[in-house]
Amino acid sequence: VNEIKSNALIIASPDDNITDVAKRLVENNINHLPVVDSDNKLLGIVTSWDIANAVAKGETRLNNVMTKKVIIAREDEPVDVIARRIDKHNISGLPIIDKNNQVKGMITAEDISRLICARNTKEGV
């Protein structure tokens, strides 16, 4: 997991305004943002779907729409384990957490697809 995680760590705070979070998602062309405290410890996750739903309902605070029970990945887990977790929970991305519960990145279904394509190309498939 650590080898294919996204390089830039883009995060949100639970007190962030929905509009600001939406802009961050668009500007970085991403669909998931880990929500962290001041020590970079995971509090939740928000997706572009969560933001669209919040806007539709007139919600303005991220804390009210973020998912607080988050499925995570550990830095040292094999990618195939993460792929099965993504499939089992029908989600599209996981925050990568270290042993201190600090967010180190994100891994998405797209990241795993790119890895498989790169491996297949390398192997001539």
Side-chain angles (χ1 to χ4, degrees):
V1 166
N2 206 28
E3 295 172 10
I4 66 168
K5 70 181 178 187
S6 52
N7 290 330
L9 181 58
I10 303 162
I11 55 175
S13 165
D15 296 324
D16 286 351
N17 181 281
I18 295 292
T19 303
D20 295 336
V21 175
K23 288 177 184 175
R24 204 169 309 146
L25 289 168
V26 170
E27 288 168 357
N28 292 285
N29 194 29
I30 56 176
N31 290 310
H32 314 81
L33 272 180
V35 182
V36 300
D37 66 12
S38 59
D39 293 323
N40 206 39
K41 292 192 178 185
L42 185 66
L43 298 174
I45 192 166
V46 66
T47 66
S48 52
W49 168 252
D50 297 327
I51 299 298
N53 193 30
V55 169
K57 293 179 178 178
E59 189 60 60
T60 59
R61 304 304 308 171
L62 185 61
N63 193 42
N64 296 335
V65 299
M66 69 183 194
T67 299
K68 294 176 182 166
K69 185 176 178 184
V70 183
I71 309 299
I72 62 160
R74 297 283 178 188
E75 291 180 295
D76 58 351
E77 287 185 296
V79 173
D80 62 322
V81 170
I82 301 309
R84 285 194 296 274
R85 192 171 300 146
I86 285 172
D87 183 54
K88 176 183 177 185
H89 295 282
N90 195 27
I91 55 178
S92 56
L94 307 170
I96 302 167
I97 308 300
D98 70 9
K99 63 183 179 184
N100 298 316
N101 200 34
Q102 291 185 320
V103 177
K104 297 299 180 180
M106 283 290 302
I107 185 165
T108 67
E110 288 178 2
D111 295 328
I112 295 169
S113 293
R114 278 193 294 276
L115 174 67
I116 292 168
C117 288
R119 283 184 183 168
N120 287 346
T121 300
K122 185 177 179 182
E123 295 170 5
V125 175

